[in-house]
Amino acid sequence: MVSYKELGLVNTKEMFKRAINGGYAIPAFNFNNMEQLQAIIKASSELKSPVILQVSKGARNYANPTLLRYMAQGAVAYAKELGCNHPEIVLHLDHGDSFELCKNCVDLGFSSVMIDGSSLPYDENVALTKKVVEYAHQYDVTVEGELGVLAGVEDEVASEVSHYTKPEEVIDFTTKTGVDSLAISIGTSHGAYKFKPEQCTRDPKTGRLVPPPLAFDVLDEIMKRLPGFPIVLHGSSSVPQEYVDIINKYGGKLPD
Ligand SMILES: [Zn+2]
């Protein structure tokens, strides 16, 4: 058993509180190798931003746990070298799909875990999430749950359609499970291809595809029911067209 505190990491509790009071969001980036980790720490240190380092289930299975732990410790030391005296770095499991995987990450030195039971029937999602919370909180590790289904692909978490979170469920879910943050679905999407052209409309002036709008009314309704509660948005809303141009210029083949 390794405590994340020994590695110099923090959980999400204080950073989320400050973000809500300060009216800003905190970025979470998945990393799969040293180069990505180095870029994330360099950028977050330059910006003096708290940061969440995410490991997917696939990355967790692939990575040697000892090496992963020292990479996290190395990230904290690197941030200090770059001038952050008290770096706020979270090591987080992204889309954990079982109690065993979440427990394993807590035991390895993760400071936060996500248990994604969103594809389960509601009551099973509540029971699984609650079980993870009960284990993780013993070690001061924070837990993210999910309600609603996101579109797109993230490792083995794949869904064809996006089902928005039902605002009428959020109070019951957060109360029963004791989660520290809640991932919701308002139309953001995972993966490199966010939306198919059929899902988009075309801007008559530029001929460019415009992605479907996000359901901000659902977000508003959830925030009204859970004032001050940390809300997590996965994926993103689109790939900016200027980046598609750059990708294609250097040999990419992203249509439209
Ligand atoms: Zn996700």
Side-chain angles (χ1 to χ4, degrees):
M1 177 96 203
V2 181
S3 168
Y4 68 86
K5 290 170 188 172
E6 292 162 31
L7 307 179
L9 301 166
V10 297
N11 68 19
T12 57
K13 210 168 271 174
E14 289 304 314
M15 68 165 65
F16 282 172
K17 211 180 282 173
R18 273 200 295 278
I20 287 163
N21 292 337
Y24 57 90
I26 293 173
F29 301 106
N30 287 68
F31 75 102
N32 298 285
N33 57 38
M34 186 278 289
E35 289 80 358
Q36 291 170 341
L37 181 59
Q38 185 163 307
I40 296 164
I41 297 301
K42 190 161 178 267
S44 60
S45 298
E46 270 171 23
L47 298 171
K48 303 273 181 274
S49 171
V51 72
I52 298 171
L53 302 173
Q54 299 198 138
V55 177
S56 69
K57 181 192 169 195
R60 168 61 207 90
N61 287 339
Y62 168 72
N64 172 271
T66 307
L67 204 47
L68 187 59
R69 183 208 315 162
Y70 283 102
M71 280 178 91
Q73 212 170 2
V76 174
Y78 179 41
K80 285 181 183 167
E81 255 176 53
L82 292 171
C84 286
N85 293 329
H86 303 284
E88 284 189 279
I89 300 174
V90 170
L91 181 64
H92 177 71
L93 169 68
D94 190 24
H95 291 284
D97 62 352
S98 68
F99 172 78
E100 290 68 30
L101 177 63
C102 291
K103 177 183 182 298
N104 175 267
C105 287
V106 171
D107 296 350
L108 278 177
F110 281 57
S111 58
S112 180
V113 292
M114 175 188 194
I115 176 69
D116 179 358
S118 62
S119 60
L120 298 171
Y122 180 80
D123 289 338
E124 288 175 39
N125 185 4
V126 168
L128 176 62
T129 305
K130 186 167 186 269
K131 191 176 174 193
V132 171
V133 168
E134 278 168 0
Y135 185 77
H137 279 185
Q138 291 177 63
Y139 303 99
D140 213 10
V141 169
T142 41
V143 179
E144 173 191 349
E146 178 166 330
L147 272 179
V149 179
L150 289 141
V153 182
E154 182 169 292
D155 271 5
E156 289 137 58
V157 186
S159 179
E160 274 296 301
V161 278
S162 165
H163 301 285
Y164 294 157
T165 304
K166 296 186 188 102
E168 59 274 22
E169 288 180 349
V170 299
I171 293 175
D172 187 67
F173 185 81
T174 52
T175 310
K176 280 185 180 156
T177 59
V179 279
D180 303 281
S181 61
L182 180 66
I184 60 164
S185 170
I186 59 163
T188 56
S189 176
H190 283 136
Y193 280 98
K194 297 300 172 200
F195 301 98
K196 292 181 182 139
E198 311 80 274
Q199 294 171 282
C200 303
T201 50
R202 205 171 280 280
D203 183 327
K205 274 190 208 139
T206 60
R208 292 283 206 189
L209 288 174
V210 181
L214 300 181
F216 285 118
D217 53 327
V218 175
L219 178 59
D220 279 341
E221 191 54 46
I222 291 169
M223 287 173 70
K224 222 177 279 168
R225 287 169 197 243
L226 293 177
F229 194 84
I231 299 293
V232 183
L233 293 178
H234 281 244
S236 70
S237 53
S238 70
V239 179
Q241 292 284 356
E242 59 266 35
Y243 296 142
V244 175
D245 290 342
I246 293 170
I247 290 164
N248 286 340
K249 187 179 161 195
Y250 291 101
K253 287 192 176 68
L254 289 169
D256 255 348

